[in-house]
Amino acid sequence: MDDTATQTDLPEVMTAIAITEPGEPSVLKPEQRPLPELRPGEVLIRVRAAGVNRPDVAQRQGTYPAPKDASDLPGLEVSGEIAALGPDTPRWRVGDAVVALTPGGGYAEYCRVHGSNVLPLPDGFTFIEGAAVPETFFTVWHNVFERGGLQAGETFLVHGGTSGIGTTAIQLAKAFGAKVITTAGSAEKCAACEKLGADRAINYRDEDFVEAVNAFTGGNGVDLILDMVGGDYVGRNYDAAAVDGRIVQIAVLQGAKVQINVAKLMMKRLTHTGSTLRPRTVEFKAAVAGALEAHVWPLLGSRQVAPVMDQVFPLSEAWRAHERMEEGSHIGKIILDVA
């Protein structure tokens, strides 16, 4: 079937999950919406599965609004098939199996994405697995390897080792030759981290992670820390970091406003940086996509690295997926089955 025929066969409306008002998971409701209209450079994806992420929860709660030119629907990553092409999308064809990073709109049967932020579904992956890749792999690649500069032989600490970010960071850091330490909140979660390749998993409920890090490193500290906690972890990260260490902040689940000891930062010559992904330009995300395709897609295709899957919920029960994320017991990615 040619592209034009497929495009004219599209429905006029789709089912999507909207945030009816800021609030608890129950505010996520199915509704009918027109299909997104494509702009130059964009493709329309028939969504087969969508990932659930912390920013979706924050958007639902009213604390993380969508960028002004993005869909108001939650959902930052999808997998599916190209259903239609806008002008100037030379790489893609209708029917291609893909995954994509989107600034919003993933909780729907169809999603509009710039073609440069789309990647082929990794070899051998199901759509459910594919939907678990974009948000975490884009985030980890940029913040750990580009911004954080992790090198083979260095020691890396990632907090929240059983989150989607954590499970991805452990695997990628190990694949590229680093020693990995992680924190998690139970013996079960620590065991899961070690199974993924962590050299040391610290149960933060039983151990002080600074003491454990210093014991593991012989007092030298870690070269790079990826932190999504914030709050009092900021100062403790300074204690756990090596001289000339780097800390990359990607979230502040325990608070954004903290007091820090600047003298310690100076004496240890620390670099503390951070970033958010969603507001970045299409061009920036395209550059990260290119790096992932070159360096990480072969690892996914060979299963040297793979997303860790927690639970799958139907699209209509997105509220249950948000409850699962907020209760904090998940290990790996939570996915919505849209198909």
Side-chain angles (χ1 to χ4, degrees):
M1 185 178 292
D2 65 36
D3 291 1
T4 302
T6 305
Q7 291 176 51
T8 56
D9 287 346
L10 292 173
E12 294 184 359
V13 297
M14 65 180 184
T15 299
I17 301 297
I19 301 169
T20 55
E21 61 181 332
E24 297 299 313
S26 59
V27 304
L28 296 172
K29 303 284 189 184
E31 63 178 43
Q32 296 297 299
R33 291 222 179 168
L35 268 63
E37 294 186 7
L38 296 181
R39 299 172 292 200
E42 293 181 336
V43 301
L44 187 68
I45 296 175
R46 181 185 180 190
V47 179
R48 297 294 189 176
V52 177
N53 294 282
R54 285 281 175 190
D56 303 338
V57 173
Q59 182 178 341
R60 190 206 76 225
Q61 293 170 336
T63 61
Y64 189 47
K68 64 179 182 179
D69 62 341
S71 170
D72 65 315
L73 299 173
L76 303 179
E77 59 185 345
V78 299
S79 65
E81 299 126 342
I82 302 287
L85 304 168
D88 192 25
T89 52
R91 176 174 184 180
W92 303 110
R93 297 291 179 266
V94 169
D96 286 347
V98 296
V99 302
L101 184 73
T102 169
Y107 290 17
E109 291 178 314
Y110 291 87
C111 183
R112 180 183 72 190
V113 188
H114 196 277
S116 66
N117 294 177
V118 178
L119 287 165
L121 183 72
D123 289 345
F125 270 47
T126 66
F127 285 120
I128 295 291
E129 291 173 316
V133 170
E135 173 71 12
T136 52
F137 278 79
F138 273 73
T139 298
V140 169
W141 183 261
H142 174 62
N143 288 289
V144 174
F145 296 96
E146 295 180 342
R147 183 169 292 274
L150 185 64
Q151 301 293 317
E154 291 191 318
T155 304
F156 169 59
L157 168 64
V158 55
H159 292 298
T162 54
S163 66
I165 294 290
T167 54
T168 300
I170 290 168
Q171 292 182 81
L172 286 181
K174 288 299 291 184
F176 287 95
K179 291 182 180 178
V180 178
I181 306 172
T182 189
T183 60
S186 70
E188 177 194 9
K189 288 186 173 184
C190 286
C193 292
E194 290 171 345
K195 187 175 180 180
L196 288 172
D199 298 282
R200 176 74 162 89
I202 302 162
N203 184 343
Y204 63 78
R205 300 186 193 278
D206 297 337
E207 298 182 83
D208 179 271
F209 79 78
V210 176
E211 293 178 2
V213 162
N214 284 321
F216 183 83
T217 62
N220 292 322
V222 292
D223 301 293
L224 176 66
I225 301 172
L226 183 67
D227 183 31
M228 58 203 84
V229 181
D232 70 354
Y233 271 44
V234 175
R236 296 165 71 193
N237 286 336
Y238 288 10
D239 292 332
V243 172
D244 290 316
R246 294 96 64 198
I247 300 105
V248 182
Q249 202 76 42
I250 58 168
V252 284
L253 296 175
Q254 287 189 5
K257 295 183 179 181
V258 298
Q259 288 188 321
I260 62 169
N261 185 341
V262 177
K264 188 169 291 180
L265 180 143
M266 295 162 59
M267 293 296 292
K268 295 178 85 169
R269 302 188 298 275
L270 302 177
T271 300
H272 189 174
T273 183
S275 74
T276 57
L277 180 61
R278 190 178 192 182
R280 300 299 292 267
T281 65
V282 163
E283 293 77 15
F284 168 82
K285 294 172 186 176
V288 179
L292 283 171
E293 189 166 12
H295 301 291
V296 176
W297 248 235
L299 301 178
L300 291 168
S302 65
R303 293 280 174 172
Q304 184 177 342
V305 171
V308 176
M309 311 301 291
D310 183 73
Q311 286 193 28
V312 180
F313 297 90
L315 179 65
S316 61
E317 297 180 10
W319 61 273
R320 288 183 59 209
H322 278 227
E323 285 187 341
R324 174 71 178 165
M325 175 157 282
E326 289 187 274
E327 72 186 18
S329 60
H330 62 287
I331 295 176
K333 294 289 292 190
I334 302 167
I335 302 297
L336 299 176
D337 186 347
V338 181

